[in-house]
Amino acid sequence: MMRAGRTRMALTALLVAGSLSMAGCGMNDEPEPAGKGAADEKPAPEKSSGKDEGKDGSKDQDESGKDGEGKGGDEGIAPGEKAPDGGAPPQLRFASTTLDGKTFKGESLADKPSVLWFWAPWCGTCQGQAAQTAKLAAKYKGKVNFVGVAGLDKTAPIRGFVKEQKVGNFPHLNDQKGAVWKKFGVSQQSSYVMLDKDGKTVSKGVATTPDQLNKQVAGLAG
């Protein structure tokens, strides 16, 4: 009985010693600092959004481009200069060709009053008015522009008229297609269109009498 009691006491002592040993192992382990694992892990680099940067860059570039275009004005025109025909009156914005093949621009008539004589080589009235028209052109040279606008026929007869009627002391336009006639609303020959120095029509008539023609041209000359 005594031996059995000693044996139980020995087993109990062993069990208690083992429990204490296990508890001691757990207590000796130092606790891992909070957040240590998270600190050791490096955060993944943020991916740059090339799309957003591209939008911002392109937007700035586009806006600067627009500003440049807006400030630049018309291409080929320096700041402060007028565009071609910018100062010419609307009535004088036309171009044609003279009988000798040169380009004629209506804007060349600006700043002086002008007489446009619309005629055809086969027109009897035109033939009757030719001498007086040439005389007036010579009288008011430098003060009033005179321009013949020939049409309703071909080049050869038109040139023949100028030579035969001796009206070569002022330019004549070879307007076979009637572009200038149409611009000034002329549908019959012989017609005179009188323009002031600003290119505005002050008189237009068919088969003007010699006396009327003299007075009208004198009025233009001032």
Side-chain angles (χ1 to χ4, degrees):
M1 295 290 292
M2 293 286 293
R3 186 177 294 178
R6 290 177 181 174
T7 301
R8 289 192 188 119
M9 289 177 63
L11 289 173
T12 301
L14 289 173
L15 289 173
V16 170
S19 298
L20 291 173
S21 176
M22 292 177 66
C25 292
M27 291 175 64
N28 290 337
D29 291 339
E30 294 181 0
E32 185 177 7
K36 180 180 180 181
D40 292 341
E41 293 180 4
K42 295 182 179 180
E46 294 181 2
K47 295 182 179 180
S48 62
S49 176
K51 186 176 181 181
D52 293 338
E53 292 177 0
K55 283 184 177 179
D56 294 341
S58 60
K59 184 177 180 180
D60 293 341
Q61 187 174 0
D62 290 342
E63 288 179 354
S64 62
K66 288 180 180 178
D67 292 341
E69 290 175 1
K71 294 178 182 178
D74 295 336
E75 183 178 357
I77 300 174
E81 291 185 353
K82 292 183 178 180
D85 292 342
Q91 281 278 74
L92 301 182
R93 294 178 188 175
F94 68 90
S96 187
T97 305
T98 62
L99 284 177
D100 53 2
K102 295 181 180 179
T103 300
F104 180 89
K105 292 186 177 181
E107 62 186 26
S108 66
L109 302 176
D111 299 327
K112 288 182 182 179
S114 303
V115 175
L116 304 183
W117 179 35
F118 293 82
W119 59 270
W122 42 263
C123 167
T125 303
C126 303
Q127 295 172 8
Q129 294 175 328
Q132 183 189 11
T133 305
K135 184 178 180 179
L136 289 171
K139 180 179 179 179
Y140 293 101
K141 184 177 181 180
K143 295 182 179 180
V144 179
N145 298 312
F146 275 77
V147 179
V149 187
L152 306 177
D153 212 328
K154 296 182 179 180
T155 302
I158 291 174
R159 285 179 176 169
F161 178 94
V162 172
K163 185 178 180 179
E164 293 172 7
Q165 301 300 326
K166 299 179 181 179
V167 290
N169 61 326
F170 59 94
H172 294 267
L173 306 183
N174 191 358
D175 191 34
Q176 295 183 38
K177 295 183 179 180
V180 182
W181 288 52
K182 183 177 180 181
K183 179 171 182 64
F184 287 92
V186 176
S187 58
Q188 298 182 49
Q189 73 294 325
S190 170
S191 294
Y192 289 90
V193 175
M194 312 286 179
L195 306 175
D196 64 14
K197 64 182 182 65
D198 296 321
K200 296 180 181 179
T201 301
V202 296
S203 178
K204 182 168 67 174
V206 177
T208 306
T209 65
D211 185 54
Q212 288 177 331
L213 186 59
N214 287 331
K215 290 181 179 179
Q216 288 173 346
V217 176
L220 285 176

